[in-house]
Amino acid sequence: KLPFMIDDHELFVSASIGIAIYPEAGETMDALVRSADMAMYTVKDRGKNGFEFFNETMNETSTARMTIERELRRALVNDELKVCYQPQVNAISEQIVGFEALIRWEHPEKGLIYPNDFIPIAEETGLILDVGNFVLETVCYDISNWREAGIENIRVSVNFSALQVEQCDFI
């Protein structure tokens, strides 16, 4: 692929195309545009620069993602998210040297939901900021309680999203 030259700048352009065919993908203009949009985002999720025809699986996936987003918003309000602490062990001495804070979602109907099933959606929707703040506040609260109980020098690792780190109030 050859770049486009604008002034002294090389620009590489790619296209992500979603295709929706009447009437399978929708019977109205709005429905066709929504279907084509879903197909286009499928191409983008795959790495961009391609095309995809809409299929009903995309609609089901989109609906499932919206459901997770809606339920995650509820989870933040209803105290369904939990922080678990995984020990970090020195391989030579076999001593615990710290902990890693891990988030889990205790869904009232679906049971335990692991991060790989909701963190990507939280990142896409910006909910990762609220989720990350919850984790950090919980870890700080727990460390404070451990110190009050006489447990000192506890090292806890917390994972952050790139979106969190980019916030001007991150530090």
Side-chain angles (χ1 to χ4, degrees):
K1 298 177 186 178
L2 297 174
F4 288 96
M5 295 297 294
I6 297 180
D7 295 327
D8 292 332
H9 302 283
E10 287 184 332
L11 300 176
F12 293 87
V13 179
S14 66
S16 298
I17 302 168
I19 303 167
I21 298 176
Y22 174 86
E24 294 84 12
E27 294 188 1
T28 67
M29 183 64 73
D30 287 343
L32 287 167
V33 169
R34 272 193 309 275
S35 296
D37 201 42
M38 279 187 248
M40 178 193 63
Y41 279 105
T42 299
V43 174
K44 289 184 175 205
D45 288 343
R46 229 182 16 233
K48 303 180 181 175
N49 199 31
F51 67 92
E52 186 66 56
F53 286 89
F54 172 82
N55 64 59
E56 194 55 42
T57 305
M58 293 173 191
N59 197 25
E60 292 165 8
T61 301
S62 177
T63 300
R65 292 174 80 79
M66 286 190 298
T67 299
I68 290 173
E69 178 187 354
R70 183 183 68 250
E71 291 179 350
L72 183 55
R73 288 181 190 281
R74 188 193 70 218
L76 284 159
V77 172
N78 293 339
D79 200 31
E80 296 172 16
L81 300 179
K82 306 296 177 204
V83 175
C84 302
Y85 296 95
Q86 177 174 296
Q88 296 173 328
V89 179
N90 181 311
I92 296 169
S93 69
E94 297 182 352
Q95 297 295 311
I96 294 176
V97 295
F99 298 90
E100 180 179 7
L102 304 172
I103 190 163
R104 298 293 182 262
W105 179 2
E106 293 180 5
H107 192 282
E109 293 149 15
K110 299 174 185 170
L112 189 62
I113 300 176
Y114 289 94
N116 59 327
D117 294 328
F118 67 90
I119 292 295
I121 294 166
E123 288 179 344
E124 286 176 23
T125 61
L127 282 172
I128 195 67
L129 298 174
D130 293 330
V131 170
N133 286 338
F134 165 79
V135 171
L136 190 56
E137 288 173 10
T138 301
V139 169
C140 290
Y141 178 80
D142 288 346
I143 289 172
S144 175
N145 286 339
W146 295 334
R147 285 183 175 168
E148 286 179 15
I151 303 169
E152 295 289 330
N153 300 321
I154 301 169
R155 188 182 83 191
V156 179
S157 301
V158 178
N159 295 311
F160 293 102
S161 163
L163 187 59
Q164 289 174 270
V165 175
E166 292 171 351
Q167 299 301 303
C168 57
D169 64 346
F170 175 71
I171 293 176

